[in-house]
Amino acid sequence: MNTPDPLRRSIKSLPDDLISQIAAGEVVERPASVVRELVDNAVDAGARRIVVRLGSGGVRLIRVEDDGAGIAATELALAVRRHATSKIASLSDLESVRTMGFRGEALAAIGSIAELVITSREQSDSAVDAASARMLDARTGEIEPAAREVGTTVEVRELFFATPARRKFLKSDATELAHCVEAVRRHALARPGVAFEVWHEGKLIEQWRAGSALERMQSVMGDEFADSALDLSFEAGPVQISGWIGTPDVARSRADMQYAYVNGRYVREKVSTHAARQAYADVLHGHRQPCYLLFMQVDPQRVDVNVHPTKIEVRFTESREVHQAVFRAVSQALARPRAGQESGQKSSQVGGDADVSEGQGQGHGHAIEPQVQARPWSQGAMHFVSERGNQSFGQSFGQYASGRVGDDAMQTLQALWGQPKPADAQSPPAQSAEPAEPVEIWPLGRALAQLQGIYILAENAQGLVIVDMHAAHERIVYEGFKAQLDAPGANVSTQALLIPVTFAATAQEVATAQSSELALVRLGLEVTAFSAKTLAVRSLPALLAGADAVNLVRSVLAELAQHGLSHVLERAEHELLSTMACHGAVRANRRLTVEEMNALLRQMERTPRSDQCNHGRPTWRQVSIKELDALFMRGR
Ligand code: ADP
Ligand code: MG
């Protein structure tokens, strides 16, 4: 047979241009990818000011000007050659790379799919003559003298002009512009010491001045995030974490405010995302997405940045350690009760304009001791510290977070909520008693009154505190359960009822009670079958001694039946604890005495995550004197 097989062609090396175009397919998805690469290069050149000018969402024009070190005239042609880089020279360099770029393919790839002109003047060039800059047209390869200060301008026009198929995938100019701005934002967050400007069609649309890490966070992340942001700083082995996380109430429906950096490089990788998500699990229900800005510093030898053409993914050699560090850093910050802090978390932030890429951290040193507080609930013998009097306003509230809630505290709670009061007990409406202590002592203040049987009003140094008493109590009880279950093999502390409570049960309830005995015991419940149609509740969780036993047991049995488990899986267990906490928490319309209200406030101050209820809603709000003055148009 002489006819050549049409599928069989001879093997040839591809021409350089085509190789670059293929590489461009990976590196350049849209104008924003070009912006990212060019800003990467400016940052690597040590620029202090970077200006991005765009036309038609970046499709028509992307121009990035920097005041970095510049490119030597003799090397200009090399810069646009494939696999030409000044950043690494050997494999060992690759293993400890600290620059954003290192693959030497961005400019070559961009030049293969767009018009590319680079004008640069090198720093070491001592000539006073501004015309000693050089301009390279990547298409023709021609180099001409040009006028420019020290630094580099890279101009990219008509992106994808040669690959119309690609161009078709582009969205509207407005959308592409938004992506470009986002690309600059990602750089800006990690480099507070560098000034950034973004222009579109001749109009300045974003500007971030050089300043401290805190200032940059505020201006880039916006007020809503910044006003409630909790700072964090954590070190564990080879991993160092700093940054800010948003409280659950600024969570969003989309994951569009999650910024994670590894050694100054913006990344989207699973380890930290998962760890952060998990840390929020307890305070964020449903599909809400947390907001955060996390800077991870990891020994470069332990990070592989060369796993993705755009370097947006990285691989950690010790991913468990990174996961754990992120999880702890975030959960700790969330667990720190925030009463009395009122944006005070920011005051400890001092300006560090150090670039993370230079390995100097974020420059916001502050005083929480991560290792000590890492798991306040799990450590050894717990005892309740009565801090009254030795805790002054302004001290680290981490101390509250690390305060142990132990047996004594549980007794306090039991005493408060454990004994049901006759519903008609007409204790006089709670009035503010003489202040036993100056108001400043307690972050959540001194209780004044109860409002509509739902809210507790208290007075603290900042003004008025309003507490949703059911939500707050629910969280306290839930955290109490978790603390009790933390010891291996432990059960929820239980308390026998003097007189068992019996109730008429369905066959299903009786069956579940019998098959789930162990699970029930773990939850602090003793439920036995009295007859084929009657169940008896003999013990309740000590924390819920006053709860409606029948309702509580019914809900727990219903959930157990639904999960169909005799052994309670961890997931279901948390749900069950939360159900129990909800049942046991003080109900609306329960009249509380001032002492009870104060006890609840003090308990909140000691309980991790007590700023949200188990459903992620806030448990308390501060209304400042300033806000009250404003309400009454009262000038001071
Ligand atoms: P890489 O950044 O991976 O080295 P690029 O193709 O992005 O590859 O850039 C090639 C080289 O051009 C860089 O290594 C650097 O030496 C030089 N270069 C590019 N942009 C700039 C800039 N803005 N300032 C100084 N040098 C630059
Ligand atoms: Mg580069």
Side-chain angles (χ1 to χ4, degrees):
M1 276 194 283
N2 293 343
T3 28
D5 179 350
L7 293 178
R8 173 79 187 101
R9 295 198 202 158
S10 53
I11 301 173
K12 289 192 202 97
S13 283
L14 296 175
D16 256 19
D17 241 24
L18 185 52
I19 297 176
S20 290
Q21 281 168 342
I22 292 171
E26 290 181 316
V27 181
V28 184
E29 186 195 345
R30 58 182 357 148
S33 334
V34 174
V35 171
R36 190 200 50 232
E37 292 292 342
L38 299 187
V39 177
D40 263 0
N41 283 345
V43 164
D44 283 345
R48 298 329 266 166
R49 180 163 178 267
I50 299 173
V51 179
V52 180
R53 293 179 203 277
L54 305 163
S56 304
V59 183
R60 187 174 55 77
L61 169 75
I62 298 167
R63 196 166 134 167
V64 176
E65 304 159 11
D66 70 56
D67 59 355
I71 306 172
T74 49
E75 292 177 5
L76 207 46
L78 263 182
V80 296
R81 277 254 299 278
R82 210 152 43 81
H83 305 315
T85 179
S86 57
K87 296 165 195 174
I88 57 167
S90 68
L91 191 61
S92 61
D93 286 351
L94 181 60
E95 281 170 6
S96 56
V97 66
R98 287 184 180 274
T99 48
M100 296 296 105
F102 55 81
R103 299 168 64 104
E105 60 184 7
L107 290 181
I110 294 165
S112 74
I113 51 163
E115 293 168 21
L116 172 66
V117 174
I118 304 176
T119 312
S120 191
R121 178 168 161 192
E122 209 196 353
Q123 205 158 38
S124 60
D125 183 353
S126 53
V128 214
D129 177 12
S132 62
R134 292 285 181 282
M135 184 171 87
L136 165 75
D137 182 333
R139 203 140 42 123
T140 60
E142 272 169 30
I143 297 182
E144 294 168 16
R148 204 203 181 286
E149 297 296 297
V150 170
T152 305
T153 300
V154 179
E155 198 171 281
V156 178
R157 284 180 185 277
E158 304 304 332
L159 192 60
F160 300 134
F161 72 92
T163 45
R166 261 296 160 110
R167 200 156 179 159
K168 269 196 220 128
F169 280 104
L170 295 178
K171 302 278 192 292
S172 71
D173 284 2
T175 303
E176 295 305 333
L177 174 64
H179 283 288
C180 291
V181 174
E182 179 64 17
V184 183
R185 189 175 287 129
R186 289 172 184 174
H187 277 104
L189 281 168
R191 291 175 187 80
V194 180
F196 289 87
E197 280 172 29
V198 184
W199 297 73
H200 187 242
E201 304 290 347
K203 285 201 204 81
L204 182 63
I205 55 169
E206 283 288 3
Q207 178 171 33
W208 295 298
R209 295 201 165 79
S212 69
L214 172 67
E215 286 163 343
R216 181 56 59 87
M217 177 278 280
Q218 288 168 328
S219 57
V220 178
M221 299 290 277
D223 287 345
E224 200 199 356
F225 176 86
D227 286 349
S228 80
L230 309 169
D231 67 319
L232 51 88
S233 159
F234 189 91
E235 201 171 340
V239 192
Q240 216 185 312
I241 296 171
S242 63
W244 289 270
I245 60 167
T247 53
D249 38 324
V250 299
R252 298 163 73 82
S253 54
R254 289 174 47 212
D256 57 353
M257 289 260 282
Q258 300 181 348
Y259 296 90
Y261 295 80
V262 174
N263 300 339
R265 187 190 305 280
Y266 174 86
V267 292
R268 278 211 182 272
E269 49 74 49
K270 295 197 183 78
V271 176
S272 62
T273 316
H274 183 266
R277 179 83 232 167
Q278 207 172 17
Y280 270 94
D282 230 12
V283 291
L284 210 59
H285 284 235
H287 303 284
R288 308 287 292 162
Q289 295 287 344
C291 305
Y292 51 77
L293 173 54
L294 293 178
F295 299 106
M296 293 171 260
Q297 296 291 332
V298 186
D299 175 358
Q301 309 262 8
R302 296 169 191 250
V303 190
D304 188 354
V305 288
N306 190 28
V307 294
H308 192 274
T310 68
K311 295 156 265 164
I312 194 158
E313 283 169 26
V314 294
R315 207 159 26 213
F316 299 109
T317 53
E318 277 105 334
S319 61
R320 277 236 330 264
E321 286 175 18
V322 176
H323 190 280
Q324 214 168 52
V326 171
F327 175 77
R328 285 176 156 202
V330 175
S331 10
Q332 236 173 58
L334 285 171
R336 230 182 315 152
R338 296 187 280 282
Q341 289 200 324
E342 208 195 15
S343 309
Q345 66 269 23
K346 292 167 198 158
S347 59
S348 58
Q349 305 277 332
V350 287
D353 62 355
D355 288 355
V356 260
S357 54
E358 291 164 14
Q360 294 166 15
Q362 291 302 293
H364 53 261
H366 43 263
I368 55 170
E369 275 94 50
Q371 283 83 352
V372 184
Q373 292 171 35
R375 297 201 60 197
W377 291 91
S378 63
Q379 294 164 2
M382 297 177 167
H383 71 284
F384 171 67
V385 192
S386 168
E387 307 101 319
R388 187 168 273 261
N390 59 29
Q391 186 73 57
S392 67
F393 176 70
Q395 266 180 281
S396 157
F397 290 109
Q399 291 182 16
Y400 286 107
S402 58
R404 316 277 184 265
V405 172
D407 291 345
D408 293 353
M410 266 167 240
Q411 276 162 22
T412 315
L413 274 175
Q414 268 166 257
L416 282 171
W417 319 109
Q419 310 309 319
K421 281 187 177 176
D424 57 351
Q426 280 302 316
S427 45
Q431 288 293 321
S432 117
E434 276 306 296
E437 308 279 354
V439 150
E440 299 81 48
I441 287 193
W442 302 109
L444 287 172
R446 173 171 60 93
L448 300 172
Q450 199 179 2
L451 183 69
Q452 300 265 328
I454 296 173
Y455 299 108
I456 293 172
L457 307 181
E459 175 190 14
N460 71 356
Q462 287 82 26
L464 177 67
V465 172
I466 307 173
V467 176
D468 178 334
M469 67 179 194
H470 173 77
H473 192 226
E474 195 178 316
R475 169 60 78 177
I476 291 170
V477 173
Y478 176 69
E479 292 292 337
F481 285 147
K482 284 203 302 183
Q484 291 170 350
L485 284 180
D486 230 4
N491 296 330
V492 164
S493 317
T494 186
Q495 184 172 317
L497 297 176
L498 284 178
I499 307 159
V501 178
T502 57
F503 66 99
T506 64
Q508 156 107 65
E509 284 170 335
V510 175
T512 310
Q514 285 174 329
S515 64
S516 311
E517 200 189 323
L518 277 179
L520 289 166
V521 167
R522 175 147 168 93
L523 296 170
L525 289 164
E526 194 191 340
V527 183
T528 54
F530 211 66
S531 73
K533 290 182 172 177
T534 316
L535 283 176
V537 186
R538 296 178 184 280
S539 319
L540 286 181
L543 282 172
L544 303 180
D548 176 343
V550 177
N551 264 329
L552 174 67
V553 168
R554 278 217 166 110
S555 327
V556 170
L557 289 177
E559 266 185 58
L560 282 172
Q562 197 193 333
H563 295 297
L565 310 158
S566 49
H567 298 285
V568 184
L569 295 171
E570 199 185 323
R571 262 198 93 85
E573 186 165 280
H574 280 163
E575 278 168 34
L576 281 160
L577 293 178
S578 160
T579 303
M580 295 207 304
C582 183
H583 270 275
V586 59
R587 291 276 140 206
N589 295 321
R590 248 294 288 283
R591 276 206 190 287
L592 304 186
T593 64
V594 169
E595 287 70 41
E596 285 174 322
M597 291 191 266
N598 276 319
L600 180 68
L601 298 178
R602 303 295 79 81
Q603 205 64 50
M604 285 174 72
E605 285 155 359
R606 285 181 209 107
T607 302
R609 292 170 284 277
S610 66
D611 301 310
Q612 287 80 39
C613 78
N614 299 340
H615 313 286
R617 289 188 298 269
T619 53
W620 66 278
R621 291 285 189 194
Q622 176 84 58
V623 184
S624 70
I625 289 291
K626 229 168 103 187
E627 287 162 310
L628 288 170
D629 285 347
L631 270 180
F632 293 96
M633 301 174 199
R634 187 181 229 275
R636 287 209 177 208

